[in-house]
Amino acid sequence: MKAKFAKFIIPFIFFSNQLFAQDYCSSPQKYYDAILNEVAKKNPNVIENLPQCLKQDRNLIFKVLLIDRSQFPNASESLHEDKIFIKRAIKADPEILKYVAPEVRADPYFMEEAIYINRDALKYSSWALLDNKLFMKKMIDLDADNYKFASDRIKSLEDFARPALEDNGLLLEFAPPNVKSNKEFVKIAINSDKNAIKFANPKLASDPELIELATDKNPLPAS
């Protein structure tokens, strides 16, 4: 494995002579640049071909993820469960959460922390969390925009749809069909943002009362 890795990364060394062999596990930094260059070339097997000591090297894998997040599945499984490492990584790119261990994305405490790090982190939560009333109520109370990540079952419920649409009528775009077809909910959305009417069910979008409600009665004077 050492010879294979060394030839892959540093072909100019004559490895048949042990005097020239380098211990990449004791001095991993020597190999960072070569590895990162291969990642930048979109080589999909870079991390897969590394020895375990480098697959679990936090600093190296973090640098790799900044270039190509799709390399993460081949990193050490220990990093997939390492919440400290993951929190560091999602500061740079929340999409890394797609590749972490399922139990991490199902942890309500971790995912709540994650949304404070990156606002878009919630959409990578497990389906069980996105369909959990208590968890999603807390998330939507923290930020109404989190409504768009909830399961359709949750988004259909008045206790979730009403406060979200009151806060931001444009969230009607992400509502399920039964909400877009509900005149009361559409009114709430339009009262919050007149542009919300374009996301209503077409039958309601042509309703004279709603059209009147969405009409700007105090347009800015032409310059």
Side-chain angles (χ1 to χ4, degrees):
M1 179 62 190
K2 287 188 177 182
K4 178 182 176 183
F5 169 68
K7 289 177 182 177
F8 171 69
I9 295 297
I10 312 177
F12 56 83
I13 295 180
F14 183 63
F15 287 95
S16 60
N17 186 334
Q18 292 302 309
L19 292 176
F20 294 94
Q22 298 186 44
D23 186 349
Y24 38 79
C25 286
S26 62
S27 304
Q29 292 82 1
K30 294 180 181 179
Y31 297 89
Y32 279 15
D33 287 345
I35 295 169
L36 296 175
N37 284 337
E38 287 296 319
V39 173
K41 293 175 184 177
K42 302 299 182 183
N43 183 334
N45 302 314
V46 179
I47 305 305
E48 183 179 7
N49 289 332
L50 296 181
Q52 187 62 27
C53 62
L54 290 177
K55 285 185 177 184
Q56 63 189 22
D57 185 314
R58 286 184 173 198
N59 290 329
L60 172 62
I61 298 302
F62 182 76
K63 291 174 185 291
V64 167
L65 296 180
L66 293 179
I67 301 171
D68 182 2
R69 71 175 80 92
S70 69
Q71 298 274 354
F72 196 30
N74 290 324
S76 169
E77 289 186 9
S78 65
L79 291 184
H80 294 181
E81 302 171 355
D82 186 333
K83 293 176 181 178
I84 295 174
F85 175 79
I86 294 167
K87 283 191 282 188
R88 178 187 176 199
I90 62 178
K91 287 180 182 178
D93 185 353
E95 197 166 337
I96 287 166
L97 282 167
K98 289 197 305 186
Y99 305 104
V100 306
E103 54 268 31
V104 173
R105 291 185 286 110
D107 182 337
Y109 303 105
F110 176 81
M111 292 309 302
E112 182 177 346
E113 285 185 84
I115 71 164
Y116 287 111
I117 296 171
N118 194 303
R119 186 177 184 179
D120 291 330
L122 187 63
K123 65 181 174 182
Y124 302 108
S125 294
S126 69
W127 184 89
L129 279 185
L130 299 180
D131 192 54
N132 182 299
K133 283 186 178 182
L134 291 176
F135 178 73
M136 288 309 302
K137 179 68 166 62
K138 186 173 186 179
M139 295 300 98
I140 292 169
D141 285 346
L142 286 171
D143 185 346
D145 276 6
N146 286 328
Y147 174 79
K148 63 188 177 185
F149 302 131
S151 70
D152 280 356
R153 183 183 76 89
I154 294 292
K155 287 189 283 194
S156 296
L157 300 175
E158 182 174 1
D159 288 348
F160 294 86
R162 181 180 292 275
L165 296 174
E166 285 175 345
D167 186 82
N168 181 359
L170 295 181
L171 288 171
L172 187 64
E173 177 183 4
F174 306 96
N178 68 307
V179 173
K180 293 183 176 185
S181 300
N182 184 305
K183 189 170 181 177
E184 182 182 355
F185 285 147
V186 174
K187 277 185 176 181
I188 291 170
I190 292 172
N191 279 325
S192 173
D193 191 310
K194 297 184 185 302
N195 291 313
I197 193 170
K198 64 186 178 183
F199 301 120
N201 180 285
K203 292 181 179 179
L204 287 182
S206 59
D207 183 295
E209 182 184 357
L210 295 179
I211 292 174
E212 174 69 14
L213 190 62
T215 301
D216 191 349
K217 299 179 176 60
N218 297 295
L220 294 173
S223 56

